[in-house]
Amino acid sequence: KKGTGRKKVLMEKIKSETNLQVTFSKRRQGIFKKATELTTLTGAEAAVVIFSPADKPHSFGHPDVHSVINRSRRNLPPENAASPADRILSTRENAAAAHRRRNDELIRTEVELEKEKKRKQELDRFK
């Protein structure tokens, strides 16, 4: 008894939102798997960035996305430096740097707060 086998998929946008999301998820995993295989077999550095239908970014990179993209940016002529992808990456990098600065400031503030609490305890002992 023979099965139906593989069916040819028409290359047109999927109309059903549910099917669209499922297909995106499965195919995204397939693309990332192929990129992983390519980097493993050849030692190549690779980065893949995909935006979902819900406009969420998904990325794969070996050794990591940022190092591959930064390396490719160094090889671009200056007129290509302000492409939309570069602006997105720059925005993400700036946001990450700002986040790190806020975390550092929070840690310093918490340390200062602990010092002040200890100082208050010392002063309360003398009352």
Side-chain angles (χ1 to χ4, degrees):
K1 186 175 184 181
K2 282 192 170 185
T4 56
R6 250 187 193 184
K7 304 256 188 214
K8 184 169 179 156
V9 176
L10 293 174
M11 284 296 131
E12 61 184 30
K13 185 166 181 183
I14 298 169
K15 291 172 180 54
S16 165
E17 286 292 320
T18 305
N19 291 349
L20 182 88
Q21 189 59 44
V22 168
T23 301
F24 174 80
S25 295
K26 287 181 178 180
R27 295 225 173 185
R28 182 192 75 219
Q29 290 171 354
I31 289 283
F32 290 166
K33 182 177 180 185
K34 288 290 184 188
T36 302
E37 291 170 358
L38 180 65
T39 60
T40 301
L41 292 172
T42 65
E45 292 183 13
V48 179
V49 179
I50 302 172
F51 286 87
S52 72
D55 210 29
K56 292 181 182 173
H58 301 270
S59 61
F60 163 83
H62 179 79
D64 64 84
V65 174
H66 294 294
S67 66
V68 175
I69 290 173
N70 287 337
R71 183 174 172 194
S72 71
R73 269 201 225 163
R74 287 190 298 269
N75 295 329
L76 289 176
E79 66 271 7
N80 291 337
S83 72
D86 283 333
R87 287 194 299 274
I88 290 168
L89 287 170
S90 176
T91 301
R92 285 182 91 188
E93 289 168 1
N94 291 342
H99 186 70
R100 282 192 297 277
R101 283 193 302 274
R102 285 191 300 270
N103 278 345
D104 291 344
E105 185 178 336
L106 177 62
I107 290 168
R108 283 192 301 274
T109 304
E110 287 174 340
V111 167
E112 196 65 34
L113 178 62
E114 285 302 314
K115 285 181 186 176
E116 290 298 322
K117 283 181 180 178
K118 286 179 183 175
R119 209 167 129 211
K120 182 184 182 305
Q121 287 174 351
E122 299 245 340
L123 288 173
D124 286 346
R125 280 193 329 189
F126 294 115
K127 287 185 180 180

